Amino acid sequence: MARAIWTGVITFGLVSVPVGLYTAVGDHTVHFHQLQRGSADRVRNRRVNERTGKEVPAEDIVKGFEVAEGEYVVVEPDELDEIAPGRSQTIDISDFVDLGDIEPVYFDRTYYIAPRGREYTKVYELLRAALAEAGKGGIATFVMRGKQYLTALRAEDKLLVLQTLHWADEVRDPGQELPELPSGRAGKGKERDMAIQLIDALDAPWDPARYHDTYQEKVRNLVRAKAEGQEIAAAEEAPQATNVVDLMALLQGSLDQAQGSRENEPTAAQQKKTAARKAPPKAARAPTTTRGQSWDRSELRQLNKTELYQRATAQDIAGRSKMSRDELIAALARAGQRRKKNAA
């Protein structure tokens, strides 16, 4: 079982819940050691005085901020410690915002949050369910390992997830940073229609298991082949930049290729038809406009997002416009459970 990398409490208003923070993702990158060519001798990084070439002990190293060429303001480690924020024990939610309003560029790392004990699960679930139903994210700051983080706390089906955010002054303005951007609206007429057809032809439901880090697979195959004395395959050539004159022909070729590769794969529309065939007949379904009806999760999972949204609208579920398909299913199921309890 994973160990918490941070422990503390989440607070919202006067309510608090002790939690632990857990890493949500792992690194699958192939890591190499540095060796001197022609030998098995490891090469290690050392701290060396640039002028004398001699190695410098860690205790003799200080930080310097360059204020002019060759002129530094020296800062001692204990001076940094005195102003460091320390180890915060609290994730204090100050605001609740629509998650859709946070631009993707602000999101950084993802962590799972779990209650620190069975006795705290009720308050934990209260916050999770409230966030899910409201379709909001809790904005908070906290300190971990001597660094302060801006974070967004959001609800998933069974747990809370914390995502660190970049500070506003860390996000660069693309208009100032990028050398070339379109000056006007591009892609009109037949070219745009063809591009839209290509997007439609490649339309697919999101399934992260379909995608693999092919570069890391090739690195592992390279290491294995070299270890076994096998010949190394030549690298693929990089694609050439598209000539605007040939754009229509290339779009048509791409469309034909996409349609050909998908002939044996069910399209999103076909998948919806298949799901509809598997679903109960309409006569057995509760009308989407009836507020008193309830459904279990197995039935709800047979519906597409539009049908789920219609039912959420009929139930007047708050925050439904910002919910994902899974969130709509969870919200409708909870609403049904509440009605069953009230009827009992």
Side-chain angles (χ1 to χ4, degrees):
M1 184 176 293
R3 292 180 59 186
I5 62 172
W6 179 94
T7 57
V9 296
I10 296 174
T11 66
F12 57 111
L14 299 177
V15 181
S16 65
V17 52
V19 297
L21 194 69
Y22 298 81
T23 302
V25 296
D27 179 20
H28 65 202
T29 303
V30 177
H31 296 281
F32 293 95
H33 293 300
Q34 295 183 96
L35 306 176
Q36 183 172 354
R37 190 186 302 278
S39 75
D41 298 337
R42 291 277 300 274
V43 177
R44 301 183 185 274
N45 295 323
R46 298 183 184 277
R47 298 178 177 88
V48 175
N49 185 306
E50 191 177 73
R51 179 178 57 81
T52 65
K54 295 180 180 180
E55 189 173 352
V56 180
E59 61 270 18
D60 289 340
I61 295 177
V62 295
K63 297 181 182 293
F65 183 85
E66 190 171 20
V67 293
E69 187 173 354
E71 184 179 343
Y72 296 88
V73 172
V74 175
V75 179
E76 296 289 343
D78 58 348
E79 293 177 312
L80 289 174
D81 291 339
E82 289 176 1
I83 64 168
R87 184 182 179 281
S88 169
Q89 299 284 333
T90 307
I91 299 173
D92 189 6
I93 299 175
S94 59
D95 304 288
F96 291 96
V97 304
D98 289 331
L99 287 170
D101 291 343
I102 305 175
E103 297 174 26
V105 69
Y106 282 93
F107 289 101
D108 188 13
R109 296 183 65 87
T110 302
Y111 298 91
Y112 295 141
I113 288 184
R116 220 167 67 241
R118 186 178 297 275
E119 64 269 31
Y120 306 121
T121 55
K122 181 177 180 179
V123 183
Y124 176 94
E125 174 58 19
L126 172 66
L127 175 57
R128 190 210 63 78
L131 284 175
E133 187 147 349
K136 300 284 186 178
I139 303 301
T141 59
F142 85 112
V143 175
M144 179 173 66
R145 296 171 181 169
K147 181 178 178 180
Q148 188 174 42
Y149 293 90
L150 178 67
T151 67
L153 190 71
R154 62 180 178 82
E156 288 199 352
D157 193 21
K158 294 182 179 180
L159 76 159
L160 289 169
V161 170
L162 180 129
Q163 292 184 281
T164 59
L165 305 174
H166 295 292
W167 300 95
D169 60 357
E170 293 179 323
V171 177
R172 296 179 176 179
D173 181 353
Q176 297 179 1
E177 298 293 333
L178 304 184
E180 293 293 339
L181 287 173
S183 56
R185 186 173 181 180
K188 297 180 180 179
K190 294 182 178 180
E191 292 175 351
R192 193 176 82 174
D193 292 342
M194 188 74 72
I196 293 173
Q197 289 180 48
L198 178 57
I199 292 172
D200 290 339
L202 296 173
D203 179 52
W206 165 241
D207 179 9
R210 291 180 58 195
Y211 309 98
H212 304 278
D213 188 342
T214 56
Y215 175 70
Q216 293 301 319
E217 292 173 358
K218 290 179 179 178
V219 171
R220 290 187 177 91
N221 291 336
L222 170 64
V223 172
R224 189 180 304 113
K226 289 180 71 70
E228 297 173 356
Q230 297 178 5
E231 186 175 343
I232 310 302
E236 299 175 3
E237 293 187 6
Q240 300 295 316
T242 298
N243 188 330
V244 178
V245 178
D246 302 326
L247 184 55
M248 275 299 292
L250 291 171
L251 285 169
Q252 184 62 59
S254 301
L255 182 58
D256 294 341
Q257 185 182 60
Q259 290 173 336
S261 66
R262 292 290 176 92
E263 282 182 355
N264 297 323
E265 294 183 19
T267 63
Q270 290 169 334
Q271 289 174 342
K272 290 177 182 177
K273 289 179 181 178
T274 302
R277 286 196 296 270
K278 292 180 180 178
K282 288 188 177 180
R285 293 187 189 181
T288 58
T289 55
T290 303
R291 294 179 61 89
Q293 296 290 337
S294 62
W295 315 273
D296 58 29
R297 288 177 184 261
S298 60
E299 180 185 354
L300 292 169
R301 292 192 184 281
Q302 302 297 328
L303 307 180
N304 60 36
K305 188 174 180 180
T306 300
E307 293 168 326
L308 291 166
Y309 182 79
Q310 290 172 347
R311 294 196 177 192
T313 302
Q315 301 299 318
D316 196 24
I317 291 177
R320 57 188 177 274
S321 63
K322 300 291 185 180
M323 291 184 184
S324 66
R325 183 174 178 274
D326 287 342
E327 289 170 338
L328 286 167
I329 290 171
L332 285 166
R334 286 194 299 271
Q337 290 170 356
R338 285 196 295 271
R339 282 193 297 276
K340 287 180 181 178
K341 289 179 180 178
N342 292 338

